[in-house]
């Protein structure tokens, strides 16, 4: 890179946000964080600001911002309160790159803002592509924004794709760990607790995506994400269970050659690659140890155990409003599960019912997608309460 990149980290207090800070600290001669954002974790955000000394700190939840004592905020850091400041900063000329690390559909407006402004976007917020893939990709094409995947599977595919040309790609194979319930007897699935579901075997992540990994709704969202990001048809996407999470995904080319990307399960590598691409530089991500015996296993997905996978393929095939409906229904259902209101197996079941009940539109605008998102959430609440 020719000069220091100025980075905004939206969602800096989350799992991806914290890993981004670790990468940026290790690569401080190339990257400088100039903006941080958090929703309610104000004490953590204040501590980050004291460490990073950014020019801006955005707190999106007004009440949380009011409740915090900001007297120790560094003098060079300006405190901005309210989500509208994210969109403002996303377009700010002093910011080169936005790390979109907010969880859920709340991340869409600021990611959209960064793409509209033609910025480099390190995209962790897969919901942006799940909800509005065709609109987002068209916008990026018009503005010249570079959309670089942070999701480990999509980063792996992006890296493996460097071995061929886009039209030579035959299949994308997404790997999935299978989560904590890969081997649980099927009849016990309905009784698993929140704590059991939050116990991921390989990755330490935010609560929402950890539950999504246990249901495999995360893989469903990733199928849709891959479909739009790489412009492939859903028939070219496959999912394989790989419990070690060392191969992060694979690309099969038309001649049968398969390229895989391997590394220990550590998000610092995909985050770093999205920030330094096309360069590769030494960084803080964990490295493989080839001198200990290890095994890499693969097995097909059991779709009776994980009905979410079919939801993902269905929404990827349908396009239009289907991704936004599935995403919102799942966000609402996960919140109900975490609150102890519905059993684990109801998450995918309620997504199925809401997806079936919605009036499909093939070419929705962004406004329609946001309206459909609200509708799907209300449907989940109504169905859970009835
Ligand atoms: P997290 O829950 O740990 O952090 C979420 C961040 O978003 C926090 O900083 C929080 O303050 C902020 N936030 C929450 N609600 C908000 C709102 N309404 N408005 C503005 N900000 C809000 O989540 P995470 O695990 O870091 O995941 C972030 C995104 O990255 C998700 O889209 C997830 O799917 C994706 N992702 C995460 C991982 C991972 O390893 N954690 C891997 C791949 C993709
Ligand atoms: Mg992933």
């Amino acid at each position: 890179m020719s000069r220091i990149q100025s980075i905004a980290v939206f969602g800096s207090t989350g799992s991806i946000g914290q890993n981004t800070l670790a990468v940026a600290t290790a690569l401080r001669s190339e990257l400088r964080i100039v903006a941080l954002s958090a929703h309610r974790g104000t004490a953590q955000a204040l501590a980050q600001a004291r460490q990073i000394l950014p020019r801006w700190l955005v707190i999106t939840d007004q009440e949380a911002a009011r409740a915090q004592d900001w007297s120790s905020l560094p003098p060079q850091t300006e405190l901005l309160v309210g989500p509208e400041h994210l969109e403002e900063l996303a377009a700010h000329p002093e910011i080169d790159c936005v790390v979109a690390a907010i969880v859920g559909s709340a991340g869409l407006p600021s990611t959209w803002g960064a793409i509209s402004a033609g910025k480099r976007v390190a995209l962790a917020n897969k919901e942006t592509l799940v909800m509005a893939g065709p609109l987002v990709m068209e916008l990026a094409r018009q503005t010249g924004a570079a959309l670089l995947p942070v999701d480990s599977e999509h980063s792996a595919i992006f890296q493996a794709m460097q071995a061929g040309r886009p039209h030579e790609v035959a299949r994308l194979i997404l790997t999935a760990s299978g989560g904590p319930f890969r081997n649980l007897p099927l009849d016990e699935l309905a009784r698993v607790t929140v704590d059991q579901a939050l116990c991921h075997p390989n990755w330490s992540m935010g609560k929402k995506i950890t539950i999504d990994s246990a249901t495999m709704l995360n893989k469903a969202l990733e199928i849709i994400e891959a479909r739009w990001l790489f412009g492939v048809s859903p028939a070219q996407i496959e999912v394989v269970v790989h419990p070690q999470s060392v191969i992060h995904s694979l690309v099969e080319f038309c001649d049968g050659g398969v390229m895989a990307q391997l590394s220990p399960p550590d998000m610092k590598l995909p985050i770093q690659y999205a920030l330094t691409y096309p360069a590769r530089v030494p960084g803080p991500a964990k490295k493989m140890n080839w001198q200990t015996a290890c095994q890499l296993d693969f097995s097909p997905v059991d779709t009776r155990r994980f009905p979410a996978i079919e939801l993902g393929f269905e929404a990827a095939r349908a396009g239009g409003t289907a991704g936004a409906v599935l995403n919102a229904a799942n966000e609402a259902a996960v919140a109900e599960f975490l609150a102890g209101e519905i059993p684990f197996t109801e998450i995918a079941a309620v997504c199925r019912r809401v997806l079936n009940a919605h009036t499909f539109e093939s070419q929705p605008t962004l406004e329609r997608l946001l309206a459909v998102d609200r509708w799907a959430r209300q449907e989940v609440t109504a169905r859970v309460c009835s």
Side-chain angles (χ1 to χ4, degrees):
M1 274 173 295
S2 49
R3 65 175 180 88
I4 293 183
Q5 266 199 92
S6 293
I7 298 173
V9 186
F10 293 164
S12 62
T13 52
S15 162
I16 293 290
Q18 293 174 53
N19 274 307
T20 306
L21 265 50
V23 169
T25 304
L27 271 57
R28 65 170 72 79
S29 60
E30 290 160 76
L31 311 171
R32 187 179 56 221
I33 295 179
V34 295
L36 299 172
S37 100
H39 193 50
R40 295 204 181 111
T42 50
Q44 191 189 351
L46 176 60
Q48 288 185 335
R50 288 164 57 85
Q51 180 210 333
I52 301 284
L53 308 176
R55 171 128 184 239
W56 299 282
L57 169 62
V58 181
I59 300 296
T60 39
D61 187 272
Q62 309 232 356
E63 236 171 83
R66 255 197 305 276
Q68 177 69 43
D69 171 6
W70 294 106
S71 55
S72 62
L73 190 69
Q76 64 265 59
T77 303
E78 185 183 352
L79 178 68
L80 303 168
V81 178
E84 65 281 7
H85 293 294
L86 294 178
E87 284 166 77
E88 232 170 74
L89 284 182
H92 197 288
E94 278 178 42
I95 289 171
D96 304 312
C97 170
V98 170
V99 179
I102 289 174
V103 62
S105 63
L108 174 63
S110 53
T111 311
W112 183 270
I115 299 170
S116 301
K119 295 291 161 80
R120 182 184 187 111
V121 179
L123 186 70
N125 181 268
K126 63 189 85 182
E127 295 85 350
T128 295
L129 282 172
V130 171
M131 292 176 70
L135 295 178
V136 165
M137 296 311 289
E138 174 56 22
L139 183 68
R141 200 190 56 75
Q142 284 172 11
T143 64
L147 218 51
L148 296 150
V150 166
D151 215 345
S152 55
E153 295 77 2
H154 303 71
S155 174
I157 290 170
F158 183 61
Q159 293 178 56
M161 275 194 172
Q162 317 290 324
R165 290 173 291 184
H167 70 273
E168 295 161 352
V169 170
R171 285 191 288 177
L172 306 183
I173 300 98
L174 295 169
T175 53
S177 71
F181 307 134
R182 186 169 53 91
N183 294 320
L184 192 78
L186 268 185
D187 57 355
E188 289 178 30
L189 216 47
R191 291 192 303 277
V192 300
T193 64
V194 169
D195 284 346
Q196 287 172 317
L198 282 175
C199 207
H200 196 282
N202 305 344
W203 297 96
S204 158
M205 311 178 282
K207 278 187 181 178
K208 197 278 179 169
I209 185 173
T210 305
I211 301 299
D212 288 351
S213 298
T215 57
M216 274 219 192
L217 235 320
N218 181 49
K219 215 48 58 182
L221 302 182
E222 291 181 352
I223 292 166
I224 307 169
E225 180 185 11
R227 189 238 185 289
W228 301 123
L229 186 65
F230 300 115
V232 296
S233 85
Q236 289 174 283
I237 302 174
E238 283 186 30
V239 177
V240 63
V241 174
H242 165 51
Q244 289 87 3
S245 300
V246 167
I247 293 187
H248 297 297
S249 278
L250 310 102
V251 175
E252 185 180 298
F253 289 94
C254 52
D255 57 1
V258 179
M259 297 291 155
Q261 187 264 327
L262 288 76
S263 51
D266 180 352
M267 290 306 294
K268 289 190 212 58
L269 177 57
I271 292 169
Q272 174 174 317
Y273 193 63
L275 295 175
T276 64
Y277 171 82
R280 284 189 183 269
V281 298
K286 294 187 191 106
K287 312 294 182 294
M288 295 292 293
N289 177 356
W290 296 105
Q291 300 312 317
T292 55
C294 91
Q295 204 177 317
L296 301 175
D297 296 307
F298 301 96
S299 56
V301 180
D302 174 356
T303 49
R304 277 177 319 151
R305 179 182 297 278
F306 298 115
I309 292 297
E310 191 38 46
L311 291 172
F313 276 116
E314 199 176 302
R317 281 191 295 267
T321 42
V325 169
L326 177 59
N327 179 66
N330 178 51
E331 277 187 37
V334 169
E336 297 286 356
F337 170 69
L338 287 172
E341 297 295 331
I342 59 171
F344 180 76
T345 42
E346 250 323 277
I347 300 174
V350 82
C351 288
R352 158 59 63 209
R353 293 199 291 277
V354 173
L355 199 59
N356 287 355
H358 110 277
T359 311
F360 179 74
E361 291 170 47
S362 61
Q363 305 253 303
T365 59
L366 191 62
E367 290 67 36
R368 281 300 301 148
L369 289 170
L370 295 173
V372 157
D373 173 282
R374 287 190 293 275
W375 170 84
R377 285 165 202 273
Q378 286 159 4
E379 278 294 296
V380 171
T381 314
R383 279 160 200 265
V384 168
C385 294
S386 64

